[in-house]
Amino acid sequence: MKPSSASLLDSLILRRPELASCQDAIREAARLLMDSYHGGGKLLICGNGGSCADGQHIVGELMKSFILPRQLDPADMAAIRALDPEYGGRIALHLQKALPAISLASETALFTAYANDVAADMVYAQQVWGYGRPGDVLLALSTSGRSVNVVCACTAAHARGMRVIGMTGEQGRDVGKRSDVLIAVPEKDTYRIQELHLPVWHTLCLMLEEEFFG
């Protein structure tokens, strides 16, 4: 990990000292994600309610520029221009380098069909099984640590040869038991947990962007 990437975690702890107990877990989660991306992997994310919204937000920070420019390499830009003389220049100018991430809550038709036809608590596990590959990472968001659909997704991820990062409240519970790395923020109430999850995953996104594009 670059020193400049690691320094972003130090900055988080200075701003939010209540997260000091999570510092080692956040660092390990960042390393796990960096290893996955260096190996050509991707991130799958699942959660319910506010955690679902967090997952979609995270995808937005990883799949496009967060705070750093991510212009394509000159060779890629030239290849795109050559492929399409009419639109290639505009495409090459506006595409950005991305860190592949998928929110498993975004496929509404699949989500509702699987819930109706098979089992509602398996909607995330099925997508993990379908999308996941060895070396990929699942980010499992659950403030309670007991969300059954998220718990089942963790097990499916391990069966697929993936690693699991859990983000929960202080107790961790069932998600924590099934996580390779658990970030259990020191709060019990749902809204307070969510208030601490946001700066954690923002920092992870910042660290990844600095590592790959800084």
Side-chain angles (χ1 to χ4, degrees), residues 46 121 124-125 138 140 142 145-157 172-176 178:
C46 64
D121 56 3
Y124 288 143
L138 174 70
S142 174
R146 294 180 297 191
S147 304
V148 174
N149 56 357
V150 176
V151 171
C152 292
C154 294
T155 298
R173 293 192 173 100
D174 296 336
V175 168
R178 292 162 176 82

Side-chain angles (χ1 to χ4, degrees), residues 59-165:
V59 169
E61 310 296 22
L62 294 177
M63 285 290 292
K64 57 173 285 297
S65 172
F66 187 6
I67 63 168
L68 297 178
R70 299 192 194 177
Q71 190 174 48
L72 299 187
D73 293 329
D76 290 329
M77 297 180 74
I80 293 169
R81 291 191 184 101
L83 279 172
D84 189 337
E86 185 176 2
Y87 289 103
R90 177 171 174 77
I91 295 169
L93 182 64
H94 290 94
L95 284 183
Q96 299 182 351
K97 294 179 181 178
L99 295 170
I102 301 171
S103 165
L104 300 182
S106 298
E107 292 293 340
T108 307
L110 171 61
F111 208 90
T112 55
Y114 213 80
N116 184 69
D117 300 345
V118 186
D121 56 3
M122 295 295 157
V123 291
Y124 288 143
Q126 175 63 22
Q127 291 182 82
V128 168
W129 191 256
Y131 293 132
R133 297 292 181 270
D136 291 345
V137 176
L138 174 70
L139 177 58
L141 299 163
S142 174
T143 56
S144 69
R146 294 180 297 191
S147 304
V148 174
N149 56 357
V150 176
V151 171
C152 292
C154 294
T155 298
H158 282 135
R160 256 316 194 202
M162 298 170 59
R163 307 294 295 277
V164 176
I165 298 170

